[in-house]
Amino acid sequence: MNKKMQAGKHLIFWIITGIILTVVFGSAYNDYVKSFYFVTFLLPVAMATSYFFNYYLVPRFLLRKKYPRFALYTFYTLVVSLYLEMVVITVSFIVLANYNFEELNPMMTNIFVLGFAIYLIVLLKAFYLLYRRFLNHEFRLKQLKNEKKP
Protein backbone atom coordinates (compact mmCIF):
# COMPACT_ATOMS: atom_id res chain seq x y z
CA MET A 1 0.00 0.00 0.00
CA ASN A 2 1.45 3.35 -0.92
CA LYS A 3 2.11 6.06 1.62
CA LYS A 4 -0.57 8.44 0.33
CA MET A 5 -3.29 5.83 0.81
CA GLN A 6 -1.92 5.01 4.26
CA ALA A 7 -1.85 8.70 5.23
CA GLY A 8 -5.38 9.09 3.90
CA LYS A 9 -6.61 6.21 6.05
CA HIS A 10 -4.96 7.73 9.12
CA LEU A 11 -6.53 11.11 8.36
CA ILE A 12 -9.99 9.59 7.92
CA PHE A 13 -9.58 7.60 11.16
CA TRP A 14 -8.68 10.71 13.18
CA ILE A 15 -11.44 12.81 11.61
CA ILE A 16 -14.02 10.14 12.50
CA THR A 17 -12.54 9.86 16.00
CA GLY A 18 -12.75 13.64 16.43
CA ILE A 19 -16.36 13.68 15.28
CA ILE A 20 -17.31 10.86 17.65
CA LEU A 21 -15.59 12.56 20.61
CA THR A 22 -17.22 15.90 19.74
CA VAL A 23 -20.66 14.29 19.63
CA VAL A 24 -20.10 12.37 22.89
CA PHE A 25 -18.77 15.37 24.83
CA GLY A 26 -21.23 17.76 23.15
CA SER A 27 -24.29 15.64 23.91
CA ALA A 28 -23.24 15.31 27.54
CA TYR A 29 -23.12 19.09 27.97
CA ASN A 30 -25.38 20.26 25.11
CA ASP A 31 -22.65 22.54 23.78
CA TYR A 32 -21.13 21.19 20.61
CA VAL A 33 -18.99 24.26 19.89
CA LYS A 34 -17.09 24.08 23.18
CA SER A 35 -16.92 20.32 22.76
CA PHE A 36 -15.36 20.74 19.32
CA TYR A 37 -12.71 23.09 20.69
CA PHE A 38 -12.03 20.77 23.61
CA VAL A 39 -11.64 17.77 21.31
CA THR A 40 -9.35 19.87 19.11
CA PHE A 41 -7.12 20.33 22.17
CA LEU A 42 -7.44 16.68 23.24
CA LEU A 43 -6.96 14.95 19.89
CA PRO A 44 -3.21 15.65 19.53
CA VAL A 45 -2.65 13.94 22.89
CA ALA A 46 -4.64 10.92 21.72
CA MET A 47 -2.78 10.86 18.41
CA ALA A 48 0.66 11.12 19.98
CA THR A 49 -0.16 8.43 22.54
CA SER A 50 -1.60 6.15 19.89
CA TYR A 51 1.27 6.49 17.44
CA PHE A 52 3.94 6.16 20.10
CA PHE A 53 2.30 3.08 21.63
CA ASN A 54 1.27 1.34 18.40
CA TYR A 55 4.18 2.16 16.14
CA TYR A 56 7.07 2.33 18.59
CA LEU A 57 6.41 0.41 21.81
CA VAL A 58 4.51 -2.56 20.39
CA PRO A 59 6.88 -3.40 17.50
CA ARG A 60 10.08 -2.67 19.40
CA PHE A 61 9.29 -4.26 22.74
CA LEU A 62 6.06 -6.29 22.84
CA LEU A 63 6.53 -8.16 19.57
CA ARG A 64 10.19 -8.80 20.35
CA LYS A 65 9.19 -10.21 23.75
CA LYS A 66 10.94 -7.54 25.80
CA TYR A 67 8.10 -7.46 28.31
CA PRO A 68 9.73 -5.61 31.25
CA ARG A 69 10.80 -2.72 29.01
CA PHE A 70 7.41 -2.71 27.31
CA ALA A 71 5.66 -2.48 30.69
CA LEU A 72 7.98 0.27 31.93
CA TYR A 73 7.71 2.37 28.78
CA THR A 74 3.95 1.87 28.67
CA PHE A 75 3.76 3.17 32.24
CA TYR A 76 5.86 6.18 31.24
CA THR A 77 3.57 6.77 28.28
CA LEU A 78 0.53 6.71 30.56
CA VAL A 79 2.11 9.21 32.94
CA VAL A 80 3.11 11.60 30.15
CA SER A 81 -0.26 11.37 28.40
CA LEU A 82 -2.13 11.97 31.67
CA TYR A 83 0.08 15.00 32.26
CA LEU A 84 -0.74 16.27 28.78
CA GLU A 85 -4.44 15.72 29.50
CA MET A 86 -4.06 17.94 32.54
CA VAL A 87 -2.49 20.58 30.30
CA VAL A 88 -5.50 20.27 27.98
CA ILE A 89 -7.83 20.76 30.95
CA THR A 90 -5.86 23.83 32.00
CA VAL A 91 -5.93 25.29 28.49
CA SER A 92 -9.66 24.57 28.32
CA PHE A 93 -10.12 26.31 31.65
CA ILE A 94 -8.36 29.39 30.30
CA VAL A 95 -9.64 29.49 26.72
CA LEU A 96 -13.09 27.91 26.80
CA ALA A 97 -14.34 28.82 30.26
CA ASN A 98 -12.65 32.21 30.67
CA TYR A 99 -11.21 31.16 34.05
CA ASN A 100 -14.67 30.17 35.29
CA PHE A 101 -14.50 26.55 36.43
CA GLU A 102 -18.30 26.20 36.57
CA GLU A 103 -18.53 26.84 32.83
CA LEU A 104 -16.47 23.77 32.03
CA ASN A 105 -18.30 20.58 31.28
CA PRO A 106 -17.86 18.21 34.24
CA MET A 107 -16.92 15.54 31.73
CA MET A 108 -14.06 17.75 30.55
CA THR A 109 -12.60 18.02 34.04
CA ASN A 110 -12.85 14.35 34.90
CA ILE A 111 -9.41 12.87 34.26
CA PHE A 112 -10.82 9.32 34.38
CA VAL A 113 -13.28 10.00 31.56
CA LEU A 114 -10.58 11.65 29.47
CA GLY A 115 -8.12 8.86 30.19
CA PHE A 116 -10.74 6.27 29.32
CA ALA A 117 -11.53 8.03 26.04
CA ILE A 118 -7.89 8.33 24.99
CA TYR A 119 -6.82 4.85 26.05
CA LEU A 120 -9.90 3.30 24.48
CA ILE A 121 -8.86 4.87 21.17
CA VAL A 122 -5.27 3.69 21.63
CA LEU A 123 -6.30 0.13 22.55
CA LEU A 124 -8.84 -0.18 19.75
CA LYS A 125 -6.22 0.92 17.26
CA ALA A 126 -3.70 -1.50 18.82
CA PHE A 127 -6.10 -4.43 18.56
CA TYR A 128 -6.85 -3.53 14.95
CA LEU A 129 -3.15 -3.32 14.05
CA LEU A 130 -2.34 -6.58 15.84
CA TYR A 131 -5.24 -8.29 14.07
CA ARG A 132 -3.96 -7.04 10.69
CA ARG A 133 -0.46 -8.30 11.53
CA PHE A 134 -1.94 -11.67 12.48
CA LEU A 135 -3.86 -11.93 9.20
CA ASN A 136 -0.76 -10.91 7.26
CA HIS A 137 1.30 -13.61 8.99
CA GLU A 138 -1.40 -16.21 8.34
CA PHE A 139 -1.46 -15.24 4.68
CA ARG A 140 2.33 -15.53 4.43
CA LEU A 141 2.24 -18.89 6.19
CA LYS A 142 -0.30 -20.22 3.68
CA GLN A 143 1.83 -18.93 0.81
CA LEU A 144 4.91 -20.68 2.19
CA LYS A 145 2.98 -23.92 2.65
CA ASN A 146 1.68 -23.73 -0.92
CA GLU A 147 5.17 -23.07 -2.25
CA LYS A 148 6.60 -25.97 -0.26
CA LYS A 149 4.04 -28.54 -1.55
CA PRO A 150 5.45 -28.92 -5.09
Side-chain angles (χ1 to χ4, degrees), residues 31 33-41 86-101 103-105 108:
D31 190 350
V33 174
K34 283 186 180 178
S35 175
F36 172 75
Y37 288 125
F38 181 71
V39 168
T40 303
F41 296 148
M86 297 305 288
V87 170
V88 166
I89 290 173
T90 304
V91 169
S92 298
F93 176 66
I94 294 168
V95 174
L96 297 178
N98 295 323
Y99 298 101
N100 188 357
F101 193 75
E103 284 190 32
L104 274 181
N105 178 346
M108 293 178 184

Side-chain angles (χ1 to χ4, degrees), residues 3-4 28 54 62 73 86 94 97-98 101 105 139 148:
K3 293 190 183 231
K4 286 184 181 182
N54 290 314
L62 183 64
Y73 293 148
M86 297 305 288
I94 294 168
N98 295 323
F101 193 75
N105 178 346
F139 179 72
K148 198 173 187 179

Side-chain angles (χ1 to χ4, degrees), residues 69-132:
R69 279 189 164 177
F70 175 74
L72 179 67
Y73 293 148
T74 299
F75 176 74
Y76 289 161
T77 303
L78 290 173
V79 169
V80 169
S81 66
L82 286 173
Y83 172 76
L84 292 174
E85 284 181 26
M86 297 305 288
V87 170
V88 166
I89 290 173
T90 304
V91 169
S92 298
F93 176 66
I94 294 168
V95 174
L96 297 178
N98 295 323
Y99 298 101
N100 188 357
F101 193 75
E102 288 79 29
E103 284 190 32
L104 274 181
N105 178 346
M107 193 181 243
M108 293 178 184
T109 59
N110 189 340
I111 193 71
F112 297 111
V113 171
L114 296 178
F116 179 77
I118 285 181
Y119 302 131
L120 180 66
I121 294 166
V122 171
L123 290 176
L124 287 175
K125 188 154 178 87
F127 285 130
Y128 171 73
L129 290 173
L130 288 173
Y131 179 70
R132 280 190 37 212

Side-chain angles (χ1 to χ4, degrees), residues 138-150:
E138 288 290 317
F139 179 72
R140 284 190 208 169
L141 188 62
K142 284 182 183 179
Q143 280 183 329
L144 290 174
K145 284 181 181 178
N146 289 339
E147 289 175 5
K148 198 173 187 179
K149 282 183 182 178

